[in-house]
């Protein structure tokens, strides 16, 4: 087993890995940037080396400095966490080149999954379904018509040079195809100077569901079931849960097997996640991509399966076989996680950096909080503004939601804005409670919120008793501050006069 | 002490008297008696009868004029005015001459300047783009007018509270 691991990350994930190291009696060492000299992950580590200035390109992304730190500290292995260098094949090679173990898959698997084209090819070879689509531009309307018939409607027309929704057209039936084909082409020409378009099968109400897989260096492959991550904002996951509210054992088995085959095809070792799109109505699933690292949302899988994925990652990297077999994996209850960010939900989720003046973290039955900050910490402008991941476990999804709602209400952060108020609304939302999730959830939720605000406007919108209490607290605060201000002034005057009194006799005695 | 509290666009007259831990408040003539404990750092524990309210008073991050009072999970934005002092308790963001300052809400880097000095802008038009935490944030004009000043150039580092631009 390793004696010392260098953690090439910061924030909550560095803290999470430090804890797993402590469990295994491994000494945790960390790297940090100049901005993080007093950060929680540094204070919790046994050893720490500064690898550069605040901007991550000059510190946490500096491969040479990180590997050199590991060498100087005589670490046996490097854990990259997620983000930063976690999916950088060059880093994995540099770590191996320095004679250290990399806690993650081999560089080759990372490279295959790092490109959309090669990842899709690998998935197809492994027999996994991918979203049917043409890779070559359509040559004519007849070409479009034939391909659309082959895929089945609805289909999506997309500009080859595309992006930002321009040149994109959803076609529900064949009668709409001709006009959609022509507008998509002219839009693409106008927007990108290139009228080439291609066609893809459209997935209605797609759910984002991913499978956690694990493999060791002895050829064992398992899957730990799914996580549903359909609640996304700007393609960023916001809430994740395990299992999916669909909770279909057959679907889990089919998707799990597909994911394991993909991992096997690239000789995968360690923890990985295979992402799929699932059509809400038909439950057909399609390969999206594979993340060759530990995911942010891994705690929900841990809560439901009982396994410690980071501990397992370390064991596997040290050459041990997996500590469990596929048939030993059971899914008990339900877990939901919220990513709490220093962002202002009332102000278009603008980042809200600053000093955390007050922090009360929730606790109690079924609650797990993976945090990376303490009271007094500075949320800096340089890094991802996630403060913590709050997860709740319950025997049923309803019980998990009850606990999550309670914990979100208990969670208090002062000095900065957070996304907590946004989550407090989501866990009370009917569609969320009913598990009606797909990637359009946040957009519909925001529309419902606007309507709700419009309806309550005029009728004051808030509790009058609480408003009165707030006014009293504000006035009381003002009065207290005025009083201490005037007391300080009086003290100043008293001190001045005492000086004067002391000074006068001195003057007199001189004369 | 008599104060005026502005909250959600409405003004309320407030008069409060302290008698030890008892606070007698008159809000728009309604008498409310509470027990108040000052726990330091702007934290107050208020009891109205047997109902408990944990309150935190903070300076607002959006506007220099107001404070934010958290009562449990509810946040109230309040602007207090002391009529005796005949001015708002904090610096005003909007000036009496009708000009408005666009203030950086957080530290960051200017990555784009959209409007030029002298340009006419409508309310909601983007003026300057500040990048922080790898996100670009377009600072918009709160009113229609003319850009009187752009105080930073592309690449400049700005601190929270810096005046980025002035609209007249």
């Amino acid at each position: 087993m390793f004696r010392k691991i260098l953690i090439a990350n910061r924030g909550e994930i560095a803290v999470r890995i430090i804890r797993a190291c402590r469990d295994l009696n491994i000494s945790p060492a960390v790297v940090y940037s100049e901005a993080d000299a007093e950060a929680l992950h540094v204070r919790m580590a046994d050893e720490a080396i500064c690898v550069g200035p605040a901007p991550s390109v000059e510190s946490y992304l500096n491969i040479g400095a990180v590997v050199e730190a590991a060498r100087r500290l005589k670490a046996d292995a490097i854990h990259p966490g997620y983000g930063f260098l976690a999916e950088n094949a060059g880093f994995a090679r540099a770590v191996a080149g320095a004679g250290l173990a990399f806690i993650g898959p081999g560089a080759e698997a990372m490279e295959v999954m790092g490109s959309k084209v090669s990842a899709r090819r690998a998935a197809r070879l492994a027999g996994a379904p991918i979203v049917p689509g043409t890779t070559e531009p359509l040559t004519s309307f007849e070409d479009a018509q034939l391909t659309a018939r082959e895929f089945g409607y609805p289909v999506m027309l997309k500009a080859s040079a595309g992006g930002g929704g321009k040149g994109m057209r959803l076609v529900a039936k064949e009668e709409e195809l001709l006009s959609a084909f022509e507008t998509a082409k002219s839009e693409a020409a106008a927007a990108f100077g290139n009228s080439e378009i291609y066609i893809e099968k459209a997935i209605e109400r797609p759910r984002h569901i991913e499978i956690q897989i694990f493999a060791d260096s002895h050829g064992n492959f398992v899957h730990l079931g799914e996580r549903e991550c359909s609640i996304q904002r700007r393609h960023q996951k916001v809430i994740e849960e395990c299992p999916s509210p669909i909770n279909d054992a057959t679907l889990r088995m089919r998707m799990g097997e597909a994911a394991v085959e993909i991992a096997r095809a690239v000789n995968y070792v360690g923890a990985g996640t295979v992402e799929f799109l699932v059509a809400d109505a038909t439950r057909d699933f399609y390969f999206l991509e594979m993340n060759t690292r530990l995911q942010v949302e891994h705690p929900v899988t841990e809560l439901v399966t009982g396994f410690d994925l980071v501990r397992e990652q370390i064991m596997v990297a040290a050459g041990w076989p997996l500590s469990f077999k596929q048939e030993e994996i059971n899914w008990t209850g339900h877990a939901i996680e919220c990513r709490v960010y220093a962002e202002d939900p009332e102000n278009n989720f603008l980042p809200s950096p600053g000093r955390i003046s007050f922090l009360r973290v929730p606790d109690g039955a079924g609650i797990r909080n993976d945090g990376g900050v303490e009271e007094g910490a500075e949320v800096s402008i340089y890094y991802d503004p996630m403060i913590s991941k709050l997860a709740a476990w319950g025997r049923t999804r309803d019980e998990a939601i009850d606990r999550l709602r309670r914990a979100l209400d208990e969670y208090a952060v002062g000095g900065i804005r957070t996304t907590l108020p946004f989550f407090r609304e989501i866990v009370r939302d009917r569609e969320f409670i009913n598990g009606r999730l797909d990637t359009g959830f946040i957009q519909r939720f925001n529309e419902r919120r606007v309507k709700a605000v419009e309806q309550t406007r005029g009728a004051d919108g808030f509790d009058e008793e609480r408003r009165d209490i707030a006014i009293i607290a504000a006035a009381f605060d003002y009065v207290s501050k005025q009083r201490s201000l005037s007391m300080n002034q009086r003290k100043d005057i008293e001190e001045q006069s005492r000086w004067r009194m002391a000074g006068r006799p001195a003057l007199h005695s001189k004369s | 002490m008599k104060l005026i509290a502005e909250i959600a666009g409405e003004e309320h007259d407030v008069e409060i008297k302290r008698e030890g831990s008892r606070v007698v408040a008159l809000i728009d003539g309604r008498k409310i008696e509470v027990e108040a404990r000052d726990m330091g750092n702007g934290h107050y524990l208020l009891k109205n009868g047997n109902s408990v309210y944990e309150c935190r008073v903070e300076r607002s991050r959006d506007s220099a004029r107001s404070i934010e009072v958290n009562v449990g999970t509810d946040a109230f934005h309040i602007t207090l005015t002391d009529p005796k002092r005949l001015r708002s308790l904090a610096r005003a963001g909007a000036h009496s001459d009708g000009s408005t300052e666009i203030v950086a809400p957080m530290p960051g880097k200017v990555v784009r300047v959209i409007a030029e000095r002298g340009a006419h802008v409508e309310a909601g038009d983007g003026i300057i783009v500040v990048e922080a935490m790898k996100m670009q944030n377009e600072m918009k004009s709160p009113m229609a007018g003319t850009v009187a000043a752009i105080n930073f150039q592309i690449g400049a580092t700005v601190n929270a509270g810096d005046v980025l631009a002035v609209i007249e």
Side-chain angles (χ1 to χ4, degrees):
Chain A
M1 185 45 70
F2 303 128
R3 284 173 303 105
K4 190 186 288 180
I5 291 176
L6 179 77
I7 299 154
N9 218 300
R10 66 181 302 283
E12 69 83 19
I13 193 60
V15 171
R16 165 75 185 88
I17 299 163
I18 288 171
R19 288 183 173 137
C21 288
R22 298 270 182 223
D23 287 352
L24 290 164
N25 284 316
I26 294 168
S27 173
V30 298
V31 292
Y32 64 96
S33 73
E34 284 164 15
D36 277 342
E38 295 172 17
L40 185 60
H41 77 283
V42 175
R43 284 182 280 143
M44 286 178 69
D46 283 347
E47 290 170 287
I49 285 186
C50 180
V51 285
S56 40
V57 275
E58 296 171 51
S59 48
Y60 295 105
L61 291 171
N62 185 341
I63 293 177
V66 172
V67 175
E68 173 60 18
R71 210 188 49 76
R72 271 172 55 200
L73 291 165
K74 297 189 169 62
D76 306 303
I78 294 188
H79 196 308
Y82 55 71
F84 292 134
L85 297 169
E87 286 172 288
N88 186 318
F91 179 59
R93 285 208 173 88
V95 172
L100 307 169
F102 179 76
I103 303 179
E108 293 74 24
M110 262 188 216
E111 269 164 354
V112 171
M113 289 305 165
S115 131
K116 201 157 186 142
V117 176
S118 59
R120 273 171 75 109
R121 193 189 306 127
R124 200 170 37 224
L125 288 175
I130 54 172
V131 178
T134 56
T135 39
E136 295 297 310
L138 295 165
T139 51
S140 62
F141 171 65
E142 287 68 35
D143 186 12
Q145 208 171 19
L146 285 173
T147 326
R149 272 186 202 157
E150 187 191 318
F151 294 163
Y153 287 88
V155 295
M156 186 74 89
L157 297 174
K158 286 184 177 176
S160 297
K166 292 240 168 59
M168 242 163 86
R169 276 285 175 288
L170 179 71
V171 189
K173 44 185 191 287
E174 193 168 293
E175 297 84 86
E176 297 170 6
L177 186 63
L178 181 61
S179 82
F181 180 78
E182 276 162 4
T183 37
K185 259 182 120 61
S186 62
E187 246 181 51
F192 314 109
N194 176 353
S195 68
E196 283 181 1
I197 55 171
Y198 66 97
I199 197 164
E200 249 183 34
K201 176 149 181 64
I203 296 160
E204 284 179 294
R205 291 184 72 104
R207 302 175 83 117
H208 180 117
I209 298 181
E210 59 188 29
I211 300 286
Q212 175 71 54
I213 63 104
F214 230 112
D216 61 21
S217 51
H218 305 273
N220 299 307
F221 288 84
V222 298
H223 74 83
L224 290 99
E226 81 279 17
R227 288 184 291 260
E228 169 139 14
C229 315
S230 295
I231 303 187
Q232 305 186 357
R233 242 193 80 253
R234 290 187 198 152
H235 301 289
Q236 279 265 20
K237 293 164 189 167
V238 174
I239 294 183
E240 304 98 350
E241 47 189 295
C242 175
S244 158
I246 297 176
N247 205 0
D248 175 338
T250 316
L251 182 65
R252 175 175 309 131
M253 198 189 68
R254 282 172 53 219
M255 291 178 73
E257 282 168 4
V260 160
E261 285 317 308
I262 292 168
R264 210 189 292 275
V266 293
N267 296 317
Y268 200 84
V269 175
T273 295
V274 182
E275 298 189 338
F276 294 98
L277 278 184
V278 178
D280 188 45
T282 63
R283 303 283 154 88
D284 288 325
F285 61 89
Y286 305 94
F287 171 80
L288 212 52
E289 61 178 28
M290 180 171 186
N291 297 314
T292 54
R293 55 168 157 83
L294 186 71
Q295 297 277 91
V296 175
E297 58 274 23
H298 74 276
V300 290
T301 298
E302 295 186 325
L303 286 168
V304 171
T305 61
F307 297 114
D308 180 335
L309 299 189
V310 180
R311 180 189 178 102
E312 207 66 28
Q313 276 190 305
I314 295 170
M315 308 275 279
V316 161
W320 293 54
L322 280 174
S323 70
F324 49 85
K325 295 190 170 64
Q326 185 68 57
E327 52 273 23
E328 290 168 351
I329 301 168
N330 293 303
W331 294 271
T332 310
H334 199 101
I336 308 176
E337 175 187 276
C338 297
R339 296 190 189 186
V340 182
Y341 274 89
E343 289 177 345
D344 185 359
E346 292 310 311
N347 205 350
N348 200 24
F349 292 88
L350 213 64
S352 177
R355 196 178 152 271
I356 297 176
S357 59
F358 176 72
L359 183 67
R360 179 185 293 155
V361 174
D363 205 335
I367 294 301
R368 167 173 171 178
N369 184 67
D370 282 74
V373 292
E374 283 184 325
E375 192 170 293
E378 197 74 31
V379 177
S380 102
I381 60 164
Y382 296 103
Y383 313 111
D384 184 84
M386 190 166 75
I387 299 173
S388 86
K389 305 181 304 203
L390 176 65
W393 179 89
R395 285 168 305 157
T396 61
R397 187 169 187 268
D398 286 343
E399 191 178 60
I401 293 174
D402 288 342
R403 287 172 167 174
L404 187 58
R405 190 186 60 236
R406 175 250 300 169
L408 286 165
D409 287 354
E410 204 175 300
Y411 207 149
V413 184
I416 56 166
R417 288 281 159 74
T418 70
T419 47
L420 285 167
F422 183 71
F423 289 125
R424 289 181 190 128
E425 285 182 45
I426 286 186
V427 294
R428 289 168 168 87
D429 180 72
R430 207 25 67 192
E431 264 196 49
F432 174 75
I433 291 168
N434 291 336
R436 284 188 55 75
L437 311 181
D438 64 72
T439 53
F441 178 88
I442 288 278
Q443 200 191 329
R444 293 195 305 273
F445 172 72
N446 283 335
E447 284 160 12
R448 287 196 289 281
R449 277 178 90 208
V450 170
K451 266 195 209 134
V453 169
E454 278 168 1
Q455 278 165 7
T456 51
R457 193 173 289 166
D460 240 2
F462 45 67
D463 185 285
E464 274 190 32
E465 190 178 354
R466 278 171 180 265
R467 182 202 60 197
D468 288 347
I469 290 291
I471 293 173
I472 295 171
F476 187 69
D477 178 67
Y478 177 66
V479 172
S480 306
K481 279 182 185 146
Q482 288 299 306
R483 189 176 283 185
S484 65
L485 205 70
S486 61
M487 255 160 32
N488 281 341
Q489 277 168 352
R490 207 173 303 142
K491 224 199 280 170
D492 281 352
I493 293 164
E494 276 168 19
E495 268 170 25
Q496 274 173 18
S497 48
R498 238 180 271 137
W499 274 108
R500 226 171 274 143
M501 281 194 288
R504 259 183 213 135
L507 267 174
H508 287 299
S509 66
K510 241 184 208 168
S511 61
Chain B
M1 179 178 275
K2 281 186 181 173
L3 297 165
I4 297 164
E6 191 193 317
I7 183 163
E10 281 179 32
E11 284 193 354
H12 303 276
D13 294 324
V14 193
E15 196 179 336
I16 83 163
K17 256 187 283 181
R18 285 178 67 167
E19 292 156 12
S21 69
R22 302 293 304 168
V23 171
V24 182
L26 276 175
I27 299 177
D28 298 328
R30 285 176 294 118
K31 187 174 164 187
I32 302 168
E33 236 183 283
V34 300
E35 190 189 319
R37 292 176 179 277
D38 185 344
M39 300 184 291
N41 286 331
H43 292 211
Y44 303 96
L45 190 65
L46 267 56
K47 271 182 84 182
N48 185 7
N50 291 323
S51 301
V52 178
Y53 299 94
E54 198 178 7
C55 308
R56 286 185 290 119
V57 180
E58 286 178 16
R59 303 194 66 138
S60 168
R61 294 178 57 83
D62 297 334
S63 137
R65 293 182 67 219
S66 66
I67 53 173
E68 187 177 311
V69 182
N70 291 280
V71 182
T73 57
D74 291 344
F76 296 90
H77 300 269
I78 301 176
T79 306
L80 278 185
T81 312
D82 187 343
K84 267 197 209 154
R85 305 179 88 195
L86 289 174
R87 60 183 181 86
S88 173
L89 296 177
R91 181 172 60 89
H95 298 283
S96 51
D97 61 1
S99 70
T100 295
E101 293 170 346
I102 295 179
V103 177
M106 73 202 117
K109 201 171 110 182
V110 175
V111 291
R112 207 145 46 92
V113 176
I114 301 166
E116 284 173 17
R117 187 162 175 263
H120 176 80
V121 291
E122 294 296 331
D125 280 359
I127 305 296
I128 193 163
V129 182
V130 179
E131 188 182 87
M133 294 168 161
K134 296 179 191 158
M135 276 185 38
Q136 299 203 348
N137 304 292
E138 193 176 287
M139 308 306 300
K140 297 181 167 73
S141 176
M143 61 174 217
T146 309
V147 179
I150 296 279
N151 296 336
F152 291 92
Q153 289 181 328
I154 292 172
T157 305
V158 297
N159 292 314
D162 281 354
V163 177
L164 303 171
V166 180
I167 313 294
E168 283 181 352

